[in-house]
Structures are given as structure tokens and as C-alpha cells.
Amino acid sequence: MRQLPEYFCDVFIVGSGAAGLSLALRLASHCQVLLVSQGPISQGATYYAQGGIATVFDETDTLEAHCQDTVTAGAGLCDPLVVPFVVHNARHCINWLIAQGMRFDQDREAASQGFHLTREGGHSHRRILHVADTTGQHLSETLITQARQHRSLRLLESCSVVDLLTTQPLDLIQSPRIIGAMIWQPSQQKLTRVSAKVVVLATGGASSLYWHNTNADRAAGEGIALAWRAGCRVANLEFNQFHPTTLYHPQAPNLLLTEALRGEGAVLCRPDGSRFMPAVDARAELAPRDIVARAMQQEMERLSVPCLYLDIRHQPAALILQHFPALYRQLRTLDLDLTQQPIPVVPAAHYTCGGVVVDQHGRSDVTGLYAIGEVSYTGLHGANRLASNALLECLVYAWSAAEAILQQLPQLTWTKPVPLETGVVIAASTHTSAILTQEQQLRTVMWQQVGLVRTTTGLTQALAQIDALQTALDQEYQHPPFPEQVLALRNKLQVAQLIVRCALERRESRGGHYLQDYPEPLPQSTPTILSPQIFSEN
Ligand code: SIN
């Protein structure tokens, strides 16, 4: 048995998006924090967020209206306690963010305390604080600048977490307690044990499991797989949200065209320039995303066309350039001009509405293990997330988790290090092309069978295909050392299985889950919850 190098910290945070960094900053004046990011620290999902943060600042808006819009988008599955909890705590979290140096776009004329508020689908008011179309980039940079100044906050970039470490194996009576994690640092080819009193997963969602998606490649649900293996329940993974408008272009397949474009008047058109959304929903292009994305899919199938078009040419060029400067520049590099032509768009996987089951402080089923942000299932989003509620959830749960962690820490100690499990050994990359092929097969299965429109037969076939990929991988890689890509693919397959299992449990259509053989919602519905204990018994 070899002795591993080891890091000690009070709180170990995995993920460098809005949730992970905000929590780290709230904790770092009180305890030792280690934060790891899978890639470069700035490259979490937050960095790419174009939209903004939904918060009530308009004088004609109310907290009740924000709650109601969230519940309406969530299609009957939002937690009635969690929605007001998040909406009512938004203001002080935004003020905290501003105190960290965040500067939102201003509009001195508007009755919104000086902020320019934009609008997105499902919102009854202008409510989105933003920085033009690069809110996520500014948010990341603000938090990273602060984080780099904290002496008790250590940042480690480009690491992956191999597994979480708990006090005991799964058992039905006692809940396990987190004691740390095993991390892999590829640049040094080094496996390291982290001993921590508290571990927080802030790893984002799983949309990159889909062939077309708006996420960075790393957003493949790693935190969901880690938590599941540690003994946590997961919920509502069938509700993957598809964003209606990503660019249809071979050179930029993941480029999101922010919903704020529609908020500022952009319309969706067929190739002949005619609109179709007014006939689908009274809110037209500003209906909740599940409705718009599905209507687009149906229209593309009906017309046998590969894409539809987003048209904002009727707005003054100055307004477009003021609110969407980054998108305008990106599109120009592809010879497309937002001010002059309709832009080809398709829906793509965007956000994981379900995740690791947590309470209002981000506490999971494993003592000392928290999950915040997109990796978590808090109950806020229900069957379909309201636009720009995601960053808000990150900020509110970073605050509420910090409160709980600071209360819990004095009662916790580090647990005596245990020797390394012999199975957890990693090798440098080998056979990557075979693994790449398997990853592509997985993404194709997810896109074709677990996408915008599903059938029970398709889901059953998808599960069999994912199981077959798992079996092939297990046969090919039976003994350690495993290449790190194999460990990543195992996580992806595990999360894909969980998504399909959740989808098979839901025999109705609701929000982001549309099942052709059960096209209507049931009169009563509850969240889909899967438990690892029940699966390990079967
Ligand atoms: C967008 O800018 O359209 C995305 C915002 C979000 O997903 O909330």
C-alpha cells in the first residue's frame, strides 16, 4: 500500500462557478478552504452565461410575481417552500455580490433603482440584472479576483475528483459521513487525498451528455455521479432543459443566442420568414423554454428543415449593439450579422433541472456533504427552470450553505486518514480514440432517445444501449491503472443511466419531459426520486 500525498482543509469545494466561488468567499474569512476546478478556474459554466440574474428591482414588480412565474414555468413541480425562500433572499445576495465588485448595467431613467433590467421567457416583468450579454464572464471575473486575494482560500485548477471518501460503506441504517476526496492532478500525474471536514459539490449540470448542447464539454454530471456513489439520492433528472436558440453553424455548434434577444423583441421564423410561436402560445416567443423548444422541434420536423431563424432586424442597430455586443462580434467572425439578417438556430440541451437531493442549506443525505448550484436538486426549478433563476439559486444557496457550514464546523474533526483503496489508480491517457467513440455513441443515444421528444420504447432502448456501453468499458478496462478518460466516461454513463431511469419512472408529459405515448400531464405529480440504497438492493 503506498502512502498518498495529502491536503488538509476545513471545507473542500469542487467547482469554480458562481456557486462554488461565492461559497468559498463567504467561508474563507472563517476557515481553511480548498477549491478545485476541473479546468482553468474561469471556465466553469457560469463564465459562459449570457443572460443574467432574476431579481425584483422594478417598482411595478413584486416578489409574489417572481414566485408565481417560477411556479408557472416549473409546471406544478416546484417546491412551495423553496420558491419563496430563494426569491425573498435574492436581494441581500445581489447586494453581497455588488459589494464584491460586480457592476450590472445601469439605466438611470428606469424605475428600477438605477439598474437596466432585461426580460426573458416566462417572466411577467423586466427582472434580469445583467452586464450586456456577458453577465457570466463579469460575475466569474469579479469572484475570481476576490478569491485570489484570500490567504485562507487555496485554488487548484485542472483537477478531477476520482471519488468522495466517506466513513463507512453504504448501509441502510446509518448515514455515512464525508471525510474527504481523492483527486487527480493530470499535469503532475498525481493522485492526492484531500482530508476535509465538509465537502461541497458545485460542479454544474450534465447537459454535455447530449450531442447538441450549450455547455462546456466538462459539464457532464460528474458531481451527480460522485454523490450517487457516496450514497446520496438524486431527483428529477428527467427534466433536462433545452434552450430554444443555439446557433446552427458547423463552426460554432455550442454558441448560445441568449433569450434576452427575444426579451428585446427577436422573433422566431420559418425559412420563409413567417412566425409560428403566436399560434402555439399567447406568450409567443416568451413562453417558457420547454414550450418554445418543443414547438421548434415540431416545426422543423413538419417542414423537414434543419433549423429555424431568430430575427431581431426590426430593432435599431444601436440597441442590438448596446445589449448584445459580444454576440454581435462572435457572429461577425462567422459572417453573420444580427442587425442585417435572421440567424439560423436550433434547440440544444442547456440545463439540468434535477440533481443531488438537498435541503434549504444545500445539505445532502451524507453528513458533511453539500451540493449547491446546478448539480443540486433543491426544488426551485420543478419541471422546467425559469430563465435566469439559475445564477440566483447559486448565490442564495452559497449563502445558506455557508450559514450551515459555519455552524457545523466546530463540531467536526478530521477523520484519521485511511490507506488508499488499491482500486483507485490512474494512468496517463491511452486508447483515447476508442473512448472518444464511446462518448460520441453515448451523446447520440441521449440526443436521439432522451431528447426533446421521448417514447417509452426509445427510453428502454437507450437504457439498454448505455448498459451495453458500460459492459464494453468494464470488459476493456478490468484492472487498474485506468486512464483518466475511462473514469470520466464511467461517470458519464452512470449519470446517463440515472437520467433515463428517472425518465422511465415518469409516465406523463410535463415541463422538460415530453413522452409521446403519455402526452398529457397527470392531475397529480410528485418529484422522481432515486435512491442508491434501493438500486444496490436490486
Ligand atoms: C440565456 O441567456 O438565454 C440563458 C440564461 C439562462 O439559462 O438562465
Side-chain angles (χ1 to χ4, degrees), residues 34-219:
L34 171 64
L35 182 147
V36 298
S37 59
Q38 243 193 342
I41 193 154
S42 63
Q43 304 289 295
T46 297
Y47 188 89
Y48 298 100
Q50 293 174 18
I53 311 177
T55 322
V56 173
F57 275 100
D58 187 313
E59 280 170 17
T60 65
D61 195 3
T62 60
L63 296 172
E64 290 67 36
H66 187 182
C67 289
Q68 188 52 53
D69 291 345
T70 302
V71 167
T72 305
L77 277 189
C78 295
D79 184 311
L81 296 178
V82 168
V83 174
F85 168 73
V86 173
V87 167
H88 287 245
N89 281 299
R91 191 62 91 83
H92 71 84
C93 289
I94 294 293
N95 289 338
W96 174 86
L97 191 59
I98 291 169
Q100 304 305 305
M102 182 75 182
R103 296 289 169 263
F104 293 103
D105 280 4
Q106 303 286 303
D107 181 351
R108 304 252 166 251
E109 317 271 281
S112 52
Q113 307 201 10
F115 294 114
H116 179 267
L117 302 174
T118 191
R119 189 166 177 180
E120 293 187 73
H123 287 277
S124 55
H125 286 77
R126 282 189 172 264
R127 191 179 280 147
I128 321 293
L129 289 165
H130 67 110
V131 187
D133 54 354
T134 47
T135 309
Q137 180 187 333
H138 284 85
L139 177 49
S140 287
E141 287 169 356
T142 303
L143 297 177
I144 291 168
T145 304
Q146 293 295 328
R148 291 207 193 279
Q149 288 166 15
H150 255 286
R151 291 178 56 199
S152 47
L153 169 50
R154 179 170 189 171
L155 305 171
L156 277 184
E157 302 187 53
S158 302
C159 292
S160 49
V161 176
V162 177
D163 252 322
L164 300 174
L165 301 173
T166 57
T167 43
Q168 76 253 331
L170 297 182
D171 92 33
L172 280 174
I173 300 144
Q174 273 186 305
S175 97
R177 200 197 119 199
I178 200 82
I179 55 173
M182 208 62 88
I183 63 171
W184 171 247
Q185 293 168 273
S187 59
Q188 300 165 42
Q189 296 289 298
K190 195 167 93 177
L191 191 65
T192 304
R193 184 195 146 104
V194 176
S195 283
K197 297 173 186 168
V198 165
V199 174
V200 185
L201 297 170
T203 48
S207 288
S208 85
L209 291 177
Y210 285 86
W211 196 244
H212 298 288
N213 69 79
T214 65
N215 289 198
D217 272 358
R218 297 184 200 96

Side-chain angles (χ1 to χ4, degrees), residues 287-326:
R289 285 182 187 167
D290 56 327
I291 295 170
V292 181
R294 219 165 18 251
M296 288 175 70
Q297 165 105 345
Q298 275 157 8
E299 205 55 21
M300 288 191 294
E301 274 170 18
R302 194 178 69 79
L303 298 172
S304 296
V305 291
C307 66
L308 294 163
Y309 293 86
L310 188 67
D311 193 350
I312 194 170
R313 285 175 299 168
H314 51 281
Q315 292 290 22
L319 179 142
I320 300 174
L321 293 176
Q322 183 193 353
H323 289 313
F324 309 105

